[in-house]
Amino acid sequence: MSEGGIVGEFFSLKEESDADVLTIQVGDFYEFFADDAELVGDVLDLNVSQKSSHGSRYPMAGVPLSELTPYMKQLVERGYRVAIADQYETENGHAREISRVVTPGTLLETTSADAQYLAGIVRVDDGYGLAFADVTTGRFLVSSVSGSDADSKALTELYRFDPAEVLPGPEIRNDDSFLEAVRERTDASLSLHDANAFAPGKARHVTREQFGAETLSSLGLDSDGGNAPTAEVLAAGAVLSYVEETGAGVLGSITRLQSYHSDDHVELDATTQRNLELTETMHGDRKGSLFDTVDHTKTSAGRRLLKEWLQRPRRSLDLLRERQSNVSAFAESALAREEIRETLGDAYDLERLASKSVSGSADANDLLRIRDSLAVLPTVTDSIANAPSLSNSPLAELAARPDRAQAERLREELGEALADDPPKTVTQGGLFRRGYDDELDEIIDQHEENLEWFDTLASREKSRTGISHLQVDRNKTDGYYLQVGKSDTGKVPEEYEAVKTLKNSERYVTDELREREREILRLEERRGELEYDLFQQLRARIADNAELMQDVGRTLAELDTLASLAVHAVENGWVRPELADSGFDIRQGRHPVVEQTTEFVPNDLRMDDAREFLIVTGPNMSGKSTYMRQVALITLLAQVGSFVPAREASVGLVDGIFTRVGALDELAQGRSTFMVEMQELSNILHSASEDSLVILDEVGRGTATYDGISIAWAATEYLHNEVRAKTLFATHYHELTTLADHLPRVSNVHVAADERDGDVTFLRTVRDGPTNRSYGIHVADLAGVPVPVVERSRNVLDKLRQEKAIEAKGGASSEPVQAVFDLGSGEFQRGENDSSGGESGDESSGIESDEPAIDPETEAVLSELSGVEVADVSPIDLMSKVQEWQKRLEE
Ligand SMILES: Nc1ncnc2c1ncn2[C@@H]1O[C@H](COP(=O)(O)OP(=O)(O)OP(=O)(O)O)[C@@H](O)[C@H]1O
């Protein structure tokens, strides 16, 4: 291992001579480890992780691009071509992949098929301007958000793109609460960027240079009266200049600017994406996510697009109907679909290859991949034209979108240039076909002629000299030589010059041989140079067609994604949903992921203007959460343009899906469950509209029972009266079921269970009306809670029920439990002192202090088990506490 010395202000490099292992030391803080390095062609492939000054290793993804770039530059200057593919273990033991390539002339470029966004965000008077550059494909999107909830809208956009790096404008201070939220809720690194880049003049100049003033004005993004560029342009300018300065992508591959409106998409914040397990399960596994379940794509570009569609469901009826028709067409014609999918399997990621051509990092193999991928388009287009059900669908138009003639010309050019079976690297020679370049042909002819001379040399010399054991050979140290067997050395003529003596033979050279050898080496060198020049010229011409390649790549990806959706629909009996203005009528709906592994009991859902809010009750484990998630996922899939798991479905388009379920992750991070719960609830109450779908699972359970009920009660009223969002609310607070008597559009449904002789059977069927029992103790029993505790709980429950019955009969309003049941009848609703959800035990509520006395013996036992006051917890919390205690015992 040799010390490479300081190669940059903060960077030093250690390398082993054969470049097998590379350790890069960065300042005092980080140490990068390169394990399992492998030389693949002329690219060095490394696995990289990073060690902090405290000694803990963590993945390199945590390092901002700007920090990585300078040291990458150093490597490049030292003549390396570096591909870093780091696969590392995250805290919970799940491997994730982030890959980036650095090549001469360019900087960071991703080798991962996933989109990697660099985001710029600028705050203006009435909102934010946002710009997102995908360094994988060169896609560039801008948008703006405004209004009183601009903060939350901007955050939603950031969640949606999930950028690797965010550049906040200089007006967003480091301690700004908005940045706090970005830090808290995304994995993005925040990078400080030159404030000048955000300056209006600079930003406009840079964006105009990149896209032209015409593009800006056609998108409505040019300045007002020539002075103030729009917020999007400010953000775009900063991102572009950052890309240019740091090489976080390739400017030349950013060929097009797309402007989108945040209203084009269904609002789906990070919490909801996680709750619905769109791309990862709650435990961080890819397997078992919706994406993993429905993905049957054949290409990495198709996979990328499918993920994007799931994360960004759309609201345009026309677009969704078109996608549906395409999925339908593919679903109906199995033969043509499978033929097309097989052809698609030959396509590489053209969007990425376009970026690589522009950056100059595309190698010989990449040019071949471009050639082969371009050939896929006409084959696929012909397959579509030949299948009537496909040619009559919008698929025909989709496939015709890229300029086929231009694509064909490009493919022909590559076909004429590149040999059928060329080498992996240019330096090996033989990349180009004969007839492509006259000079190259001549060199090759001369080279071959010289080689032939060597071929005939042995027989010529044999007959001239009478030496029988003579052969001509070449090796790295001696070059060309004549080798004569020991027995024949006496016959060697004068002009032979001995160069090496071996055991059984002698090696000679002659002037003539030296001259030929020099000529061969000259020709080989010239051939190498010329082939490399030609390769570069060809690559540059290909790069001029980056936009075309992006078009073709995008089209193939879209066909792949649509065909994948069709495959899943056919294999799982999904149906095309009817897209309606509002409301839901889902018959025999199923959960798209759970149905893969379980004998699933389908369920219906009906919601309309007269039935907007469903309170879902049912025993623990009966299927409430599954039912609600199933509704959210069916809605989401419908707005992707996919078929849905149901026998029949009408889905009203929504503008957002908002969910609030148990806060497992935050618990692990040490935040108060209840605080998180309330923040999420608050966000929903602020952001949801009458066109939204809201899923609430157990709101209020994180605090004292009466506080919890009060908050859940008030939130229901607010959603029902003010927001009017379509809402499903699962609760164990049976008191809430009485809301249906007071609020006109609230209805009760419950997930049925059957109890016979103390045994509970979960029926999984959703029925109208509230449930009457909670069966929590039965679940505790199932979970293995010790028999004495289960028995005792039954005892306590009976007691509580008896008390309730007495209170109900007596009807005295001063009775504590009665007070809860009376919530709907006035006192609470009127928002008097006690409706404000005061702290537990707050004198003003008059409730906590009036709680029914629990048998002191029970309270003592349970308190000891759980470490909490019994009166302060809901039945579920009690159960989880008991389970917690049981776990502790096991440990
Ligand atoms: N319709 C169904 N068909 C088959 N299995 C189901 C169905 N619904 C739910 N399940 C299964 O039942 C189990 C419990 O479901 P779920 O978590 O939705 O219950 P829950 O009522 O929300 O429970 P809790 O109140 O304890 O949170 C899960 O394992 C789920 O896979």
Side-chain angles (χ1 to χ4, degrees):
M1 169 99 36
S2 67
E3 185 75 41
I6 302 292
V7 294
E9 198 179 348
F10 295 108
F11 309 98
S12 69
L13 181 71
K14 285 180 188 170
E15 67 191 85
E16 210 170 68
S17 54
D18 60 0
D20 258 342
V21 179
L22 199 65
T23 307
I24 300 123
Q25 186 96 34
V26 185
D28 289 328
F29 304 108
Y30 306 117
E31 196 179 335
F32 290 91
F33 292 93
D35 306 319
D36 311 327
E38 194 190 352
L39 210 52
V40 184
D42 50 350
V43 173
L44 186 68
D45 230 1
L46 307 171
N47 284 329
V48 175
S49 61
Q50 184 188 22
K51 189 176 161 188
S52 73
S53 51
H54 316 296
S56 53
R57 262 184 181 219
Y58 60 98
M60 204 173 69
V63 184
L65 291 181
S66 54
E67 207 169 299
L68 269 176
T69 306
Y71 101 85
M72 290 302 185
K73 259 186 185 164
Q74 302 291 342
L75 289 179
V76 169
E77 276 160 20
R78 290 167 66 92
Y80 281 101
R81 296 191 65 211
V82 186
I84 296 175
D86 41 318
Q87 251 226 329
Y88 49 81
E89 295 271 301
T90 57
E91 274 159 307
N92 51 7
H94 298 289
R96 281 181 54 200
E97 248 183 20
I98 299 246
S99 320
R100 286 168 184 154
V101 170
V102 180
T103 51
T106 66
L107 293 160
L108 294 180
E109 181 191 321
T110 176
T111 57
S112 130
D114 276 348
Q116 284 209 54
Y117 284 100
L118 172 65
I121 180 155
V122 167
R123 186 185 280 147
V124 286
D125 286 348
D126 58 345
Y128 292 91
L130 298 139
F132 298 95
D134 174 6
V135 297
T136 305
T137 62
R139 284 227 294 154
F140 199 72
L141 292 119
V142 294
S143 184
S144 64
V145 293
S146 58
S148 58
D149 55 350
D151 273 20
S152 117
K153 281 185 185 160
L155 276 174
T156 298
E157 292 313 303
L158 287 175
Y159 297 146
R160 209 196 287 287
F161 284 92
D162 190 19
E165 194 170 357
V166 177
L167 314 172
E171 69 290 338
I172 309 178
R173 290 167 50 97
N174 204 25
D175 57 354
D176 196 287
S177 61
F178 178 75
L179 280 196
E180 280 298 309
V182 175
R183 269 190 205 102
E184 217 164 82
R185 307 218 192 155
T186 72
D187 294 330
S189 55
L190 293 171
S191 301
L192 286 181
H193 186 38
D194 182 6
N196 268 335
F198 290 90
K202 172 91 189 286
R204 188 171 50 221
H205 175 73
V206 172
T207 359
R208 277 190 173 178
E209 286 260 295
Q210 187 77 15
F211 304 110
E214 238 169 65
T215 308
L216 295 192
S217 61
S218 72
L219 292 173
L221 296 176
D222 219 354
S223 43
D224 300 324
N227 279 326
T230 59
E232 292 100 313
V233 170
L234 290 176
V239 168
L240 291 171
S241 71
Y242 187 77
V243 168
E244 188 172 23
E245 276 168 32
T246 64
V250 188
L251 270 189
S253 68
I254 302 177
T255 56
R256 227 171 319 186
L257 179 69
Q258 271 174 283
S259 157
Y260 77 94
H261 203 269
S262 60
D263 288 352
D264 294 346
H265 300 112
V266 174
E267 184 163 356
L268 204 62
D269 64 26
T271 315
T272 295
Q273 291 203 18
R274 191 198 52 201
N275 289 343
L276 295 180
E277 307 194 307
L278 289 194
T279 56
E280 272 184 3
T281 66
M282 298 278 246
H283 305 290
D285 295 328
R286 222 186 78 108
K287 207 165 162 35
S289 66
L290 179 68
F291 171 63
D292 181 59
T293 305
V294 302
D295 176 23
H296 303 274
T297 54
K298 289 284 195 181
T299 63
S300 52
R303 255 188 305 285
R304 186 169 61 231
L305 188 65
L306 175 62
K307 197 185 242 181
E308 186 184 308
W309 281 11
L310 293 178
Q311 287 174 324
R312 279 173 249 164
R314 303 295 295 261
R315 291 170 59 189
S316 150
L317 202 56
D318 289 346
L319 177 107
L320 293 175
R321 292 226 166 102
E322 188 183 314
R323 284 190 191 167
Q324 283 190 333
S325 302
N326 288 333
V327 175
S328 258
F330 270 139
E332 280 160 23
S333 16
L335 262 179
R337 179 186 72 230
E338 289 315 310
E339 185 182 296
I340 288 169
R341 292 179 72 228
E342 202 180 318
T343 315
L344 285 172
D346 294 335
Y348 295 90
D349 194 339
L350 272 172
E351 285 179 282
R352 244 186 71 206
L353 288 167
S355 295
K356 286 181 90 176
S357 314
V358 173
S359 71
S361 65
D363 59 18
N365 237 338
D366 289 331
L367 296 196
L368 291 169
R369 289 184 175 137
I370 293 172
R371 179 193 68 187
D372 297 345
S373 306
L374 288 170
V376 167
L377 181 70
T379 315
V380 166
T381 316
D382 290 346
S383 300
I384 292 175
N386 293 335
S389 55
L390 300 186
S391 61
N392 292 326
S393 75
L395 281 174
E397 215 175 293
L398 170 66
R401 228 187 273 157
D403 187 334
R404 183 171 164 170
Q406 199 193 339
E408 196 58 14
R409 273 198 301 280
L410 189 64
R411 191 190 67 79
E412 272 169 19
E413 183 174 353
L414 282 164
E416 281 162 15
L418 301 170
D420 282 332
D421 192 15
K424 290 240 180 307
T425 58
V426 187
T427 42
Q428 281 170 266
L431 178 59
F432 292 98
R433 241 178 234 291
R434 293 300 290 260
Y436 179 64
D437 182 81
D438 290 346
E439 191 187 347
L440 180 64
D441 281 353
E442 205 179 314
I443 291 171
I444 294 173
D445 286 345
Q446 285 175 18
H447 189 248
E448 277 176 2
E449 209 176 279
N450 280 289
L451 290 179
E452 272 166 27
W453 182 85
F454 275 105
D455 282 348
T456 56
L457 181 64
S459 52
R460 194 193 79 188
E461 286 298 292
K462 273 184 191 171
S463 59
R464 189 173 73 86
T465 60
I467 300 172
S468 51
H469 295 107
L470 185 146
Q471 65 187 64
V472 178
D473 223 333
R474 178 187 193 178
N475 72 22
K476 272 191 183 154
T477 41
D478 299 337
Y480 282 96
Y481 53 82
L482 294 156
Q483 187 157 308
V484 176
K486 274 267 151 73
S487 55
D488 280 341
T489 47
K491 297 180 189 163
V492 162
E494 232 174 51
E495 65 272 22
Y496 277 27
E497 185 186 322
V499 286
K500 198 177 245 174
T501 305
L502 303 172
K503 199 173 163 210
N504 297 317
S505 58
E506 195 82 27
R507 285 182 183 170
Y508 302 91
V509 291
T510 64
D511 287 349
E512 187 189 30
L513 188 137
R514 279 212 179 95
E515 199 174 309
R516 287 284 180 170
E517 182 178 26
R518 270 198 297 277
E519 179 63 2
I520 282 196
L521 291 176
R522 188 189 66 78
L523 287 167
E524 282 177 355
E525 195 181 327
R526 179 66 198 130
R527 178 181 177 168
E529 282 168 13
L530 186 58
E531 286 214 17
Y532 194 69
D533 279 354
L534 289 170
F535 165 71
Q536 280 186 315
Q537 286 165 22
L538 181 62
R539 186 169 61 191
R541 272 203 305 283
I542 302 296
D544 290 342
N545 292 280
E547 204 166 329
L548 171 77
M549 286 190 276
Q550 285 164 348
D551 279 350
V552 176
R554 184 88 185 165
T555 298
L556 297 180
E558 205 162 318
L559 290 169
D560 192 14
T561 305
L562 291 162
S564 165
L565 289 175
V567 168
H568 195 80
V570 170
E571 285 179 358
N572 294 276
W574 288 15
V575 296
R576 175 178 182 159
E578 188 188 315
L579 301 174
D581 280 344
S582 80
F584 296 96
D585 193 354
I586 299 170
R587 306 286 166 91
Q588 306 270 291
R590 306 177 313 267
H591 188 294
V593 178
V594 180
E595 74 164 333
Q596 299 292 321
T597 50
T598 313
E599 189 76 31
F600 200 86
V601 179
N603 274 307
D604 297 348
L605 171 80
R606 191 177 54 76
M607 289 180 98
D608 51 35
D609 288 348
R611 188 179 146 101
E612 287 181 338
F613 197 113
L614 296 185
I615 295 183
V616 187
T617 45
N620 292 103
M621 291 281 287
S622 58
K624 298 180 295 297
S625 308
T626 308
Y627 178 64
M628 297 197 302
R629 284 188 187 161
Q630 149 188 335
V631 169
L633 289 173
I634 287 176
T635 307
L636 182 136
L637 284 165
Q639 290 194 236
V640 163
S642 164
F643 282 22
V644 299
R647 206 188 62 204
E648 217 178 299
S650 162
V651 175
L653 294 191
V654 299
D655 63 0
I657 300 175
F658 299 91
T659 61
R660 158 55 238 158
V661 306
L664 293 171
D665 290 358
E666 280 78 4
L667 257 187
Q669 286 166 19
R671 287 209 283 163
S672 146
T673 334
F674 185 61
M675 189 62 188
V676 172
E677 188 182 330
M678 287 304 107
Q679 280 170 346
E680 288 181 5
L681 179 66
S682 152
N683 179 42
I684 293 173
L685 296 179
H686 279 117
S687 312
S689 82
E690 61 179 332
D691 293 325
S692 309
L693 173 65
V694 175
I695 304 286
L696 301 173
D697 204 347
E698 290 294 349
V699 162
R701 62 173 260 205
T703 189
T705 313
Y706 290 136
D707 281 10
I709 293 176
S710 318
I711 292 166
W713 187 280
T716 302
E717 282 181 344
Y718 186 78
L719 281 164
H720 175 272
N721 298 337
E722 307 293 328
V723 180
R724 297 201 59 178
K726 299 273 179 301
T727 306
L728 285 99
F729 183 175
T731 183
H732 282 279
Y733 295 139
H734 290 258
E735 292 82 351
L736 294 181
T737 58
T738 61
L739 273 162
D741 301 333
H742 307 287
L743 301 172
R745 294 177 299 279
V746 172
S747 296
N748 283 305
V749 296
H750 69 278
V751 191
D754 215 9
E755 187 184 13
R756 243 170 248 163
D757 306 328
D759 271 345
V760 178
T761 314
F762 294 120
L763 301 177
R764 316 270 183 228
T765 316
V766 176
R767 295 182 183 154
D768 278 344
T771 189
N772 52 355
R773 304 282 298 271
S774 69
Y775 306 97
I777 297 175
H778 177 75
V779 176
D781 193 11
L782 284 182
V785 170
V787 175
V789 178
V790 172
E791 288 303 315
R792 189 68 187 131
S793 318
R794 290 214 167 97
N795 210 264
V796 175
L797 184 68
D798 279 347
K799 248 189 168 154
L800 287 171
R801 281 202 186 123
Q802 280 163 16
E803 282 179 27
K804 258 192 208 172
I806 296 164
E807 287 150 10
K809 264 191 209 153
S813 61
S814 61
E815 290 292 340
V817 179
Q818 182 74 22
V820 176
F821 277 116
D822 276 354
L823 280 173
S825 65
E827 304 146 25
F828 246 153
Q829 268 176 299
R830 277 202 306 273
E832 288 168 14
N833 290 347
D834 37 346
S835 66
S836 56
E839 294 297 317
S840 74
D842 182 343
E843 286 293 288
S844 68
S845 78
I847 290 177
E848 295 292 328
S849 52
D850 287 345
E851 284 233 272
I854 287 183
D855 162 21
E857 194 192 330
T858 312
E859 174 151 12
V861 172
L862 292 177
S863 296
E864 195 193 319
L865 296 182
S866 58
V868 291
E869 292 295 311
V870 173
D872 281 351
V873 291
S874 69
I876 302 198
D877 280 342
L878 245 191
M879 202 195 89
S880 64
K881 286 288 174 193
V882 172
Q883 281 174 342
E884 201 179 284
W885 164 80
Q886 194 194 4
K887 219 196 258 156
R888 253 190 274 150
L889 258 192
E890 280 165 11
E891 283 165 10

